[in-house]
Every structure is written in C-alpha cells, then in structure tokens.
Amino acid sequence: MHFDDKIPIYYQIKNHIYHEIITGTLQPGEKLPSVRQLAVDVTANVNTVQRALSEMIAAGIIESKRGRGNFVTMETTKITALKTQLVTTQLAHVYQQLHALNLSDEEILVSVQQYIEQRGQNK
Amino acid sequence: MHFDDKIPIYYQIKNHIYHEIITGTLQPGEKLPSVRQLAVDVTANVNTVQRALSEMIAAGIIESKRGRGNFVTMETTKITALKTQLVTTQLAHVYQQLHALNLSDEEILVSVQQYIEQRGQNK
DNA sequence: TATAGTGTAATAGTAAAATATAACACTAGG
DNA sequence: CCTAGTGTTATATTTTACTATTACACTATA
C-alpha cells in the first residue's frame, strides 16, 4: 500500500478501511482479514494496524470478537452516517483551503466544475 | 499559530506563508520577518521555520539574502503559477477522496454546491 | 570599526510513530 | 483435549520531526 509520509500510517489505514466499508468492498457484518493478514496486505506492523482498528472499534464501525475476528457493523445507519461525515470533512477542508487562497464561493464552485470537465477530456 | 498534529509543522508553516504571499498579505519583493521573529510568531523553533523557508527558497518563491533577510520573489508569474498549483492540488485531492467514497462527478459538484449554500445560511 | 540584526548550520536532547518480536487470552474444529 | 487461528498487549529499538542552544557568516549603519 502506498503511504503519504506526511500523515501517520495508522491514520491512513483507518481511512483506507473506511473507504472499503463505504464503497461496499466490505459489506455490513462481513469479517475483516485477520490483523496479521491486514498487516501483510498494507505492509505495516500488526501494532500499527491494531491502532487503526482500535479507533474504528471505538467509533462503533468495527466490532471486535476476541478469538473470532473483526467484523463490520451491521448497523447500516452508522455506515451512512460515517460516509456523510467523511464527505463533509473533505468539503470543509477544501473550502477552507481555497477560501484561504482568496477564492470566492462562486470561484470555488466554478473551479470544481472546470476541474471535473477538464478531467473528463483527458481520459 | 494552530497546528494540525497529523501534518509536520514545517509543512504547515510553508503553506501558511504561501497563503500570505498569494493573498497579498506579503507583497512581491517584500521582506519577510526575520527567521527568529517568524519562529516567535508561529510559536515554533528557528530550525523548523528555516526548514520551511528552505523549501520555499528551493521553489524560487523566496529569495534569501544573507545578512539582510528573506524576500518574496518579484517575479509575479511565479506567484500566480504557485496559486494555480495549490488550487489544482486541492481540487485533485478532494476529487480523488470523494470519488473514492463512490460519489459521481455530478454528486461531487452538487455536494460542493450544497455545502456552500448551507454554509451561507449558518452565518 | 564596532555592533546589532540578519541567514545558516551544527549539536544534543525529547517525543511520537512505527517496527520487530514475543507473549497472553479466547474460539472453533478436529 | 489439543491445536490452529484469532484479537490483545507489552517490551525494546529505530526513525523522524521538533526543540533548545550555540556558534558562525554576512550586512548595514551608527
């Protein structure tokens, strides 16, 4: 797995798994790979994976069953809530950043639109 | 200055000064505060500030004159190029993230629009 | 020419993340 | 009951960013 060296690995692992849950790669109730297997998958240490998992367990997205494995929550409301939370975080961040670069609300919207259009052409 | 503990301080300082240059708080050719003063301003160490400055110097945005101070480049083309580069980076990042959350191009655009609208109301 | 202000760099120490490794606790299945 | 597979935890070590401190190099000016 590719890591951004400006962000803690455990944090990136957490985000990675969250994405898999939200996109349905990991279904509600599904068992995750074992922590040892996950460590191999993402090329990180077991303790680092465990730290990521611990936060997801604390957030109620993952349920841990000792001796059996880690499972995605069956409460789909939690998952949709997670998605909106992540989306909002992203929007707030980019808005704040572009605003700090002196772009008006209108300019922000247009720049997003243009980025998407231009991106469609280069494909 | 407020720091995000998930991102290196020197990196945040660099971004902070870039923003000041782009918004015109720091004009082309203008002298920056001394490294020691900057360290006080942003509540960080001189070496950390210096690391941020070094990268900006390497990027050609800041010119360093030993014994005199650090100065914003007079080449305004470099500054406008920097702005577009920073904006594009932000757009690419948020697009990639939202796309990874399974949002279509259309949904991304709408969500940005809604975020801005809703934000206007809460003010 | 002396001095204050500037950038630059080196050293040593601290803190946090990540690693390697091992051990412990529990579960399921043969 | 034993064993393999699971989560959990602990220890020691390494790495990196950051800090504190000091020293050096250069510039302007009183």
Side-chain angles (χ1 to χ4, degrees):
Chain A
M1 178 172 169
H2 163 262
F3 291 118
D4 180 344
D5 65 358
K6 300 258 185 331
I7 305 172
I9 292 177
Y10 80 91
Y11 196 82
Q12 296 181 60
I13 294 173
K14 184 172 88 167
N15 231 54
H16 175 67
I17 296 178
Y18 273 168
H19 280 189
E20 291 191 323
I21 293 173
I22 288 169
T23 59
T25 304
L26 287 172
Q27 291 287 321
E30 185 174 346
K31 181 179 177 299
L32 273 67
S34 76
V35 285
R36 291 168 181 81
Q37 185 57 48
L38 275 175
V40 172
D41 292 349
V42 303
T43 58
N45 187 268
V46 173
N47 290 313
T48 308
V49 171
Q50 187 68 30
R51 177 163 182 185
L53 289 172
S54 298
E55 294 198 359
M56 294 188 280
I57 292 166
I61 304 297
I62 299 289
E63 285 178 25
S64 170
K65 301 184 179 173
R66 196 189 190 100
R68 296 188 52 209
N70 290 306
F71 300 82
V72 178
T73 181
M74 303 244 284
E75 303 180 43
T76 54
T77 56
K78 281 190 181 176
I79 296 177
T80 54
L82 174 65
K83 174 169 178 175
T84 48
Q85 187 236 308
L86 291 184
V87 169
T88 305
T89 300
Q90 289 300 322
L91 292 173
H93 180 258
V94 73
Y95 181 87
Q96 183 269 320
Q97 285 288 313
L98 294 184
H99 217 61
L101 289 171
N102 259 6
L103 270 67
S104 68
D105 286 5
E106 190 61 26
E107 287 170 326
I108 290 174
L109 193 56
V110 170
S111 67
V112 172
Q113 197 164 2
Q114 285 178 344
Y115 178 84
I116 291 175
E117 283 173 8
Q118 174 228 326
R119 197 179 171 286
Q121 291 170 3
N122 299 355
K123 269 225 163 174
Chain B
M1 177 173 169
H2 164 262
F3 291 116
D4 179 345
D5 64 359
K6 299 261 186 331
I7 304 173
I9 293 177
Y10 78 90
Y11 195 81
Q12 297 181 60
I13 294 173
K14 184 171 88 167
N15 231 52
H16 175 67
I17 296 178
Y18 272 167
H19 281 189
E20 290 192 324
I21 293 174
I22 288 170
T23 59
T25 304
L26 286 172
Q27 290 288 322
E30 185 175 345
K31 180 177 177 301
L32 273 67
S34 76
V35 286
R36 290 168 182 82
Q37 185 58 47
L38 276 175
V40 173
D41 291 349
V42 302
T43 57
N45 186 269
V46 173
N47 290 314
T48 308
V49 171
Q50 186 66 31
R51 178 165 181 182
L53 289 173
S54 298
E55 295 197 358
M56 294 188 279
I57 292 165
I61 303 298
I62 299 288
E63 284 177 27
S64 170
K65 301 185 180 175
R66 198 190 189 98
R68 296 190 52 208
N70 290 306
F71 299 82
V72 179
T73 181
M74 301 244 284
E75 303 180 45
T76 54
T77 57
K78 282 190 181 176
I79 296 176
T80 54
L82 174 66
K83 175 169 179 175
T84 49
Q85 187 238 307
L86 291 183
V87 169
T88 305
T89 300
Q90 289 300 321
L91 292 174
H93 180 258
V94 74
Y95 181 88
Q96 182 270 320
Q97 286 288 312
L98 295 184
H99 217 59
L101 290 171
N102 258 7
L103 271 67
S104 68
D105 285 5
E106 190 61 27
E107 287 171 326
I108 290 175
L109 194 55
V110 170
S111 67
V112 171
Q113 197 164 2
Q114 286 178 345
Y115 177 84
I116 291 175
E117 282 173 7
Q118 174 228 326
R119 197 179 172 285
Q121 290 170 6
N122 299 355
K123 270 227 160 174

